[in-house]
Amino acid sequence: QAFRMPDNRPQFFGEFENVPIDAKGRLIVPATLRNALPNGVTSIIVTEWFDGCLSAIDPEGWRRLFDQLRGLSISQVQTRQLVRKMAGRAAEIKLDRQGRALIPKKLLNLANITDHATLTGVVERIEIWNPDRYNDAQNNIDLESVAEELEWF
């Protein structure tokens, strides 16, 4: 069952392991994640993300992210690098009737994803991971320390 915020923004959650990727680079987006997309949305924007994964964002979420990128000062080299990486490598991907997304090989290669992926819902986006890299990243998180450092909870 999907959950959406009152303003119709998606709320993605859950972890989906061993999602197969066929020879063409297609993966099936789990129904739980597809159902969290706003009504009528049949495409996602996939781009290189932090920590070595890819991020899939619904078009409205991408617009909000794009507006944030646009608001950064391009006089700083780090800003130009960030915008170039995120916007330059982004691809709009249409979901087919089976819920498959054809991820460009270049993006899969950037995240070292081959024949299987781990997908995880991260509030307003979906992360697409190399399974080993995802497990390593998750195993290295001390939830209590992170929450304490962020003064959260």
Side-chain angles (χ1 to χ4, degrees), residues 48-126:
E48 185 176 8
W49 200 250
F50 305 106
D51 305 317
C53 71
L54 303 177
S55 182
I57 307 168
D58 73 286
E60 183 59 27
W62 175 254
R63 187 196 60 73
R64 287 190 301 273
L65 176 65
F66 203 81
D67 287 346
Q68 288 177 348
L69 291 172
R70 187 180 294 146
L72 298 173
S73 169
I74 61 167
S75 65
Q76 296 180 345
V77 69
Q78 296 94 337
T79 298
R80 294 191 305 272
Q81 291 170 340
L82 177 68
V83 171
R84 192 174 300 125
K85 276 262 199 180
M86 301 210 111
R89 292 196 167 149
E92 182 175 9
I93 297 166
K94 303 280 185 198
L95 300 177
D96 69 14
R97 281 187 236 136
Q98 287 86 29
R100 294 178 301 188
L102 176 60
I103 311 293
K105 291 280 188 193
K106 183 174 187 172
L107 285 172
L108 292 173
N109 291 339
L110 287 169
N112 198 27
I113 297 170
T114 55
D115 58 346
H116 284 83
T118 297
L119 276 63
T120 184
V122 188
V123 187
E124 290 190 8
R125 62 190 159 76
I126 301 165

